[in-house]
Amino acid sequence: MVEIVFISTLNGVLYGMLLFLMASGLTVIFSMMGVLNFAHASFYMLGAFFGFEISRHVGFWPGLAVAPPLVGGIGMAVERYGLRRVHRHGHVAELLFTFGLTFVIQELVEMVWGKLPVDYRVPPLLDFPAFTVFSLNYPAFKMFELLISIAIFLALLLVVKRTRVGLIVQAALSHPEMVGMLGHNVDRIFMLVFGVGAGLAAVAGVIAGPALVTQSNMAELLGPILFVVVVVGGLGSLSGAFAASLLIGLAQTFAVASNASLASLFGNLVSDRSQAYLGDIWNVTVSQIAPILPYLLLVLILIFRPRGLIGTRDS
Amino acid sequence: MSNKFAMTALALSLFGVATLPAAADSVLKIAYIDPLSGGGASIGQIGLNQLKFIADSLNAKGGVMGEKIEITGYDNKLNPQESLVAVQKAIDEGIRIITQGNGSSVASAVEDFVGKYNERNPGKEVIYLNYAAIDPTLTNEKCSYWHFAWDANVGIKLQALTNFIKTQKDIKKVYLIDQDYSFGHSVADTTVRMLKEKRPDIEIVGNEFHPLVKVTDFSPYVAKIKASGADTVITANWGQDFALLIKAAGDAGLQVNWYTFYAGGAGGPTAVKQANMSDHVFQITEGINNIDYKPAQDVIRAYIARYPDAPVYYPRLFNETGMLFKAIEEVKSDDPVKIAAALEGAKYPTFSSGDEGFMRKDDHQFFQPLYISTLGPLSAKEPFDEEHTGWGWKMVAQIPVADTILPTICKMKRPE
């Protein structure tokens, strides 16, 4: 029992941090610009493939240093020449624009790198088990993921809450005219924020690429879970997204570890006939539905607490 | 003068129209219906490459009965509805031989459609060659005269696999993990049933289902496998669900043997190499590239020279097309009615080893030797690696045709 709880907690935290790593850029763009960026997962994929390409020639670490600014630059160009024009027509237009962008990016990636998974490797420096608990290894690379994730969280929190830049960015969202009057270039602020968000997605891509599968469909496979993190956490809240990532990670991991089903819990109390009537619902185990739990959480949060766990606004 | 010119033009155009069907007759058209865009495209494209390679090599030698073979790819996005639209489109374009493989739900829809189409359009029959869908219902409950299956179905594969496991005395505790949909369940149920019969001493320590392509992190599942004390895991996972599972197991240092259906699928060998599991991952297939059989190896070399990114994934496509062309030459016609009759009960030396397989008349299921192989570093006698990993499939055991036979409940309805 201790073993299961300990291992599940550890796995849950690690998975949660991976989720936050992937969702941080989305939260930044969403909370500071109010743009729900469907193409976020595509920037994440671009980061992974750029990282892979650079790692092939000069190694993983230069990839980690170079790929995010590159993708950030692409992000800024997208904002400057695409999103900014669309912005005037409201949220639906923005959604459609970023949605279309996902297909364009996927097609481009397929043209360059093909449709098969590429062999993106964990750097040799981190390719060893960091420690062993209950005879299960925990690779050093996962610890690295965890550290980067926490570092990004703290850095973002610091910038947004404690610096002048954060102040201006926040003000630009709620009172763009006023900030403009005060002599700041609001358009440029938005462009930079979008660039930072895309860059963060790329950081996640470079790091998650070797750990998961780097393939041209990785964006569409990742997509939905990130929106769950942002919505459950609360629209526009970094701490919320952090908490939601942890919550989802832990919930899912503990659910996988559990073999309980309605049948095993109440089997003696209900007659055979009504059991047959309940059918699959009666016999399905918690572990079987574990990966669906985040989406259930999403639905419940939207019904009962639309602003999310630590959200500051309703939309 | 101008009148004469107009007459000539008219005559020419009439003549042109009249000759068109005749010109089309000298081409043998095959429609390939599989995912060519989206998530399944990586597999769909490989099949199309292989068919094009087969067609081009035969055309260079003069084609089949003087007819050039032409393969046309139709994208079905792995969706049954889209597939039927594609089948109809192919038929409208005059194609009467259809091949498809990925997704049993797609296969089932196509099988149904072709059966009904042929009933309503006598004289214009279409034949459906299935190279990969392996749901047993396709050749049992739902069997159709116009459907022929070249990959061994789930029951046959597991019959062969459990016959092999029967001889492996060091297997004591087995863990099953599969995707939560009809295919995963049919694999799990059949495995449990057959193991109970053949090796009652084996303990099944886990029978897990997880949602299809929704899991990002498999480490909790790996922790569960570890806790169960299993020495062997059997899984029919494919694609990302296989790659992520095997990588999570590699990260955690889980020491078990893996028996799989699709470790050889696109991206599988890369993941196994990254997880560093040399000689721990087994697959059951109708052939591997590293069988010491020269005719196959020559073809594989020529194939790799043209498509360097992947060796031959589907030996069965060579069996399928080989038998189709042989049937056409036997009956001296590309009429699907005659082809179907010739395929029933046909014998054929399989691509990978030359050992004979046969198309069972009762259910149109092809029976062939199956191979258990393991992925790892190669010796000098094994020339082909997978996905540039340096590792390749090495033969562990050949399951002879006799050990793969399963009865069928198909009641074949033959056209009068």
Side-chain angles (χ1 to χ4, degrees), chain A residues 174-195:
Chain A
S174 50
H175 303 89
E177 285 87 7
M178 183 62 90
V179 174
M181 297 289 187
L182 289 171
H184 298 285
N185 185 342
V186 176
D187 281 344
R188 190 192 292 162
I189 292 174
F190 278 170
M191 184 175 84
L192 288 175
V193 168
F194 198 84

Side-chain angles (χ1 to χ4, degrees), chain A residues 119 137 210 212 256 259 287, chain B residues 208 224 226 240 247 252 274:
Chain A
D119 187 17
N137 293 341
L212 307 175
V256 168
N259 272 333
S287 75
Chain B
E208 187 84 56
K224 242 176 140 177
K226 179 85 198 178
Q240 134 160 328
K247 282 177 87 165
Q274 286 176 340

Side-chain angles (χ1 to χ4, degrees), chain B residues 33 76 78-80 83 100 102-111 128:
Chain B
I33 296 171
N76 70 357
L78 207 50
N79 172 320
S83 305
Q100 178 275 339
N102 291 296
S104 286
S105 57
V106 174
S108 173
V110 173
E111 184 177 22
Y128 165 36

Side-chain angles (χ1 to χ4, degrees), chain A residues 27-110:
Chain A
T27 320
V28 166
I29 292 174
F30 196 30
S31 61
M32 298 180 194
M33 296 175 66
V35 173
L36 194 48
N37 179 19
F38 258 107
H40 182 77
S42 305
F43 288 119
Y44 155 81
M45 172 163 78
L46 275 184
F49 274 96
F50 283 5
F52 161 71
E53 199 54 48
I54 297 167
S55 77
R56 263 215 299 210
H57 303 292
V58 281
F60 176 84
W61 302 106
L64 184 58
V66 176
L70 269 181
V71 176
I74 295 176
M76 281 195 260
V78 164
E79 203 283 336
R80 174 68 186 78
Y81 298 105
L83 207 52
R84 191 176 298 176
R85 287 156 194 263
V86 178
H87 193 65
R88 284 178 230 134
H89 307 292
H91 285 314
V92 176
E94 283 170 0
L95 271 185
L96 291 175
F97 174 76
T98 55
F99 186 65
L101 197 60
T102 58
F103 290 97
V104 175
I105 293 179
Q106 169 158 1
E107 209 54 46
L108 287 175
V109 166
E110 278 179 6

Side-chain angles (χ1 to χ4, degrees), chain B residues 11-275:
Chain B
L12 269 176
S13 60
L14 276 177
F15 181 71
V17 170
T19 49
L20 261 180
D25 270 351
S26 67
V27 176
L28 177 66
K29 288 184 180 178
I30 300 175
Y32 173 80
I33 296 171
D34 252 329
L36 297 171
S37 70
S42 55
I43 354 173
Q45 189 62 45
I46 289 173
L48 186 58
N49 290 351
Q50 246 183 265
L51 277 178
K52 288 210 158 136
F53 169 82
I54 293 171
D56 291 349
S57 0
L58 253 165
N59 287 343
K61 289 181 208 151
V64 178
M65 283 198 329
E67 288 188 336
K68 291 265 181 268
I69 302 149
E70 185 185 294
I71 311 284
T72 313
Y74 294 85
D75 183 13
N76 70 357
K77 304 185 181 71
L78 207 50
N79 172 320
Q81 222 73 47
E82 301 251 7
S83 305
L84 298 189
V85 175
V87 174
Q88 186 61 58
K89 206 169 143 201
I91 293 174
D92 291 346
E93 285 166 16
I95 303 182
R96 294 174 67 190
I97 302 170
I98 284 162
T99 185
Q100 178 275 339
N102 291 296
S104 286
S105 57
V106 174
S108 173
V110 173
E111 184 177 22
D112 219 45
F113 181 90
V114 166
K116 283 183 189 144
Y117 178 87
N118 289 349
E119 234 166 73
R120 289 172 199 152
N121 298 281
K124 291 184 188 163
E125 286 83 353
V126 172
I127 189 168
Y128 165 36
L129 316 175
N130 163 12
Y131 74 94
I134 58 171
D135 188 325
T137 53
L138 296 169
T139 48
N140 282 287
E141 291 90 341
K142 295 199 60 176
C143 70
S144 152
Y145 178 76
W146 303 102
H147 163 258
F148 292 84
W150 268 271
D151 197 6
N153 73 32
V154 171
I156 298 168
K157 280 192 184 178
L158 287 171
Q159 169 83 341
L161 185 64
T162 48
N163 278 344
F164 174 74
I165 287 177
K166 198 164 67 177
T167 63
Q168 303 295 303
K169 292 295 170 210
D170 49 344
I171 297 179
K172 303 241 170 350
K173 290 182 173 181
V174 170
Y175 198 101
L176 309 177
I177 177 163
D178 290 292
Q179 295 150 322
D180 197 359
Y181 75 120
S182 61
F183 168 65
H185 279 272
S186 104
V187 169
D189 296 348
T190 316
T191 312
V192 170
R193 183 165 51 75
M194 289 185 171
L195 279 181
K196 269 196 185 124
E197 259 168 45
K198 294 175 192 174
R199 278 288 300 276
D201 60 308
I202 285 183
E203 191 187 340
I204 301 203
V205 289
N207 191 354
E208 187 84 56
F209 296 100
H210 65 79
L212 189 62
V213 287
K214 286 235 163 31
V215 183
T216 320
D217 181 25
F218 272 95
S219 24
Y221 294 95
V222 171
K224 242 176 140 177
I225 297 175
K226 179 85 198 178
S228 75
D231 53 43
T232 301
V233 179
I234 301 178
T235 177
N237 279 16
W238 45 263
Q240 134 160 328
D241 281 337
F242 172 76
L244 289 176
L245 173 63
I246 213 81
K247 282 177 87 165
D251 280 348
L254 180 71
Q255 290 293 328
V256 297
N257 283 331
W258 298 79
Y259 286 93
T260 72
F261 277 34
Y262 295 121
T270 303
V272 175
K273 178 78 195 288
Q274 286 176 340

